[in-house]
Amino acid sequence: MDNGAIIEVRGLHKEYRVKGNIIRAVNGVDLAVQAGETFAIVGESGSGKTTLANLILGIERPSGGEILFRGEVLGRKMSKDTRRRIQVVQQNPVSALNPKRTIKKSIELPVSVHGLRPPNQRRERVAELMDFVGLSPDFMDRYPNALSGGQRQRAALARAMAAEPDVIVLDEPTSALDVSVQAKVLALLMDLQSKFNLTYIFITHDLSVVRNVSDRIAVMYRGRFVETGRTEVVFAAPRHRYTNMLLSSVPVVSEEEEAVKPEWPWEQTMEGSDQASDGCAFAPRCPYAQDNCWAAQPGLEEVGEAHFMACYYPANGAADSRIDGPPPTGKIPTPHRAAVD
Amino acid sequence: MWIFGSRAWYKFSRNPLSVVGLGIVVVIVLAAAFAPFVTPYPQHARAFVDFANASLAPSSTYLLGTDVIGRDVLTRIIFGYRVSLMLGVVVLTIAVPIGVGLGLLAGYFGTRTETVIMRITDVFLAIPPLVLALAIMGFLEPTLMNAMIAVAAMWWPWYTRLVYNITRSLRHEGYVIAAEVVGASHLHMLLREILPNALPSILTKMTLDLGFVILIASSLSFLGLGVQPPTPDLGSMVAKGADYLPDIWWFPVFPGLAILVIVLGFNLLGDGLRDMLDVDF
């Protein structure tokens, strides 16, 4: 991967012990985010994307692997300056702001913690930040309960911007908002990115959002990346069967869009998603799964320019060269579950 | 007044009993604060003997009668409230900061800090409060100061547990995580982000507890381990007067009712605050 990466993650693992069971929330993730790009991490609930975000933010400690910021390994305790350079906007606008603090105090926090402005210029700075995110400075001395969900997300974004960061981790920043507000917040994010040369790590389950804003996309399933690539490539010709399933489940409004959507021949079910398998974690839900899918986890393999995927029987192309035998027929096969029974 | 039109007052007064509680507490606090001016015989609050007027039944001169050495019961009840309230306030002033501080630390840092603090708290919570206070009073001199220390020593664990639970749930709120990502100090996290959001629950519990602390302190006095004569105290008045039942019934019964009224007042007020501040208990 490119050495100019601003955030690099190598062999990252995070395990939780829950009542004697080991949950592998993040199970060997590698990624490199280039400065100025929007890197989207897509997956369904429980895929480990938020855990991955928390690891990058330093809120949680990895069980294994390392995270690098500008080529420097982030240790047990992040330096104050590095802390400032990686900020977050979270999903829930209701809890994003402390209900007992004024908007000004919330937005001002990074400025005062890092001494980015002398005290007498902070009010002015907060007004400026509020202007950047399209919030009226009239709200400065109000409490969060005076703001709508969209306004709160803007304030949360202003707080992140106040730290003058290089990277902002956006953890489902729009999924709790109305669709009309979503579009405005997304437009604002794109505008700020180009103005301040920000790098975004955009975490979402919403593919339609990703399609419009991200440069690259990583599809995450059960703690692993199953497919990564440039957004337009992955959307045009998804290879991994799970990516296929996700794309086929995006609701569309027009017939043309429906026509270009990948087909998914089997019912989309969560059934079996928690089954243990030595092989591909998606095998229990995959109609194309064969014996070898249950036997060993396929590794990420380059299938195109900067396009990686981990599937033995991918869509939109020949079967993986690693496998001898007939390619899948494309008909709906019987679910292959012998290996777990 | 503006307060009666506010949303907070609406929520508080939705239950009329809350208003009754507020009324009781305000009247008692004012009476206690201005006791030397509102009581008919302020000199009766100190060492005073008047055998000529001893054991008189309630009348227009002595509204609630006199005790066996001729002191006005009403006067001594009002001065007794003074001692009770002061005791309650002092106990909570000692117990609440300790309990809240430990609860914040346990809930915020977790791991070993949490284990140590919460296990100690559990040990204290496992001992019945009055028994612990009795034990402490057993090897300390039975003075007012020691009574307050004894009651405070058994009261802080409740605040530790309350604040610990609140802190644990606030720990994962977006604004707490955001402040952590910003790099704010632990002190900022605890005092500026978490504590203000725990305050409504703490205040509500303090109001409810004032009544209970007064009750426990009265129990100690009743057993002769709290406030010592001649300082007027509701608990010791009940204890002394009980010897003269049923003939001089007004001597123990009115102080007993006085305890009931103040505990009830604080409970009703606490319930009202709970409704007003949207606190879950």
Side-chain angles (χ1 to χ4, degrees), chain A residues 50 89-94 96 153 170-177 205:
Chain A
T50 296
V89 174
Q90 286 159 312
Q91 176 176 14
N92 186 351
V94 177
Q153 280 307 65
L170 304 161
D171 188 0
E172 308 246 12
T174 59
S175 43
L177 306 175
H205 65 270

Side-chain angles (χ1 to χ4, degrees), chain B residues 34 58 73 91 96 98 135 157 163 166 228:
Chain B
F34 299 103
V73 172
V91 164
V96 172
I98 296 173
V163 174
I166 296 171
Q228 299 300 308

